[in-house]
Amino acid sequence: QKNSLAPALSFFHIPNPEVRELWYTDFKGEYQEGVACSLINSGVLDTLVSMGDVKGVFLGHDHLNDFCGNLNGIWFCYGGGFGYHAYGRPHWPRRARVIYTQLKKGQRSWMGVESIQTWKLLDDENLSKIDEQVLWRDSDNDSYQSVHL
C-alpha cells in the first residue's frame, strides 16, 4: 500500500542479550532455562526499535523456553521445543508456535494488515492450543497497539 507502514516480523535463531530482561516482566508462557545468547550486545534491539515497524521477533535456540514478552514495544517470542531430535523435558509436550496474520479485505484487493496473533499447539492427544495472544492490532486511528487476549 502506498504511504502505509505495514508491521514487520523478524526471525532469529539466537536471541539478543536483552531477551534476558524479560524474566523481570509480565511475560506469557514458560521461561524454563537461561537465555543463551552472545556476550556482546551488537545493538540489534536498538536497530529494530529505530525501524519503527517491527512488531514481533521470533526466537529459537533455548528449547525449554516458549514465552512471549515485550521489550521497547516489540514482542519477543520463543517457539518452544518443536522437534524430537533435540533436547526437551520429560512429560513436557513438544510445541510449535503459530503466527497468524489477519488481512483486511477490500472490494478488489487486500487492504493491509489487521492483526498479528500467536499461540502454541502442543503435541499431545488433543493438539491443545495454549497461550493465545494478540501481538499487534491496527486501531481505528492507525496507531499501533499491543493487546493480550
Side-chain angles (χ1 to χ4, degrees):
Q1 299 274 336
K2 290 182 180 179
N3 303 320
S4 175
L5 182 63
L9 303 175
S10 184
F11 297 83
F12 294 96
H13 182 75
I14 307 292
N16 51 302
E18 293 92 344
V19 172
R20 292 176 175 159
E21 298 169 20
L22 290 172
W23 174 256
Y24 305 103
T25 68
D26 185 24
F27 57 85
K28 187 170 196 167
E30 300 292 328
Y31 196 135
Q32 299 189 100
E33 67 178 310
V35 173
C37 59
S38 172
L39 297 175
I40 305 298
N41 188 331
S42 63
V44 169
L45 178 59
D46 290 339
T47 299
L48 295 172
V49 169
S50 74
M51 291 170 64
D53 60 348
V54 178
K55 302 303 166 195
V57 174
F58 299 92
L59 308 165
H61 196 58
D62 305 318
H63 299 217
L64 299 180
N65 291 334
D66 72 355
F67 63 85
C68 276
N70 196 295
L71 290 170
N72 298 347
I74 300 174
W75 287 96
F76 287 80
C77 301
Y78 273 97
F82 176 68
Y84 285 91
H85 58 283
Y87 72 93
R89 177 166 279 168
H91 312 293
W92 194 62
R94 297 298 178 153
R95 60 213 49 229
R97 180 168 296 281
V98 175
I99 304 161
Y100 176 76
T101 303
Q102 187 170 352
L103 301 176
K104 293 182 214 173
K105 177 97 171 90
Q107 288 197 356
R108 296 184 183 189
S109 65
W110 296 105
M111 303 299 294
V113 178
E114 188 171 286
S115 68
I116 301 168
Q117 302 168 52
T118 187
W119 58 83
K120 291 168 292 215
L121 290 178
L122 303 184
D123 186 15
D124 61 10
E125 57 278 352
N126 300 315
L127 292 176
S128 301
K129 181 178 182 179
I130 63 168
D131 294 341
E132 293 181 70
Q133 285 181 268
V134 175
L135 301 181
W136 179 85
R137 178 173 286 142
D138 189 21
S139 66
D140 293 336
N141 62 5
D142 293 330
S143 65
Y144 296 123
Q145 63 180 346
S146 296
V147 180
H148 281 288
L149 282 177

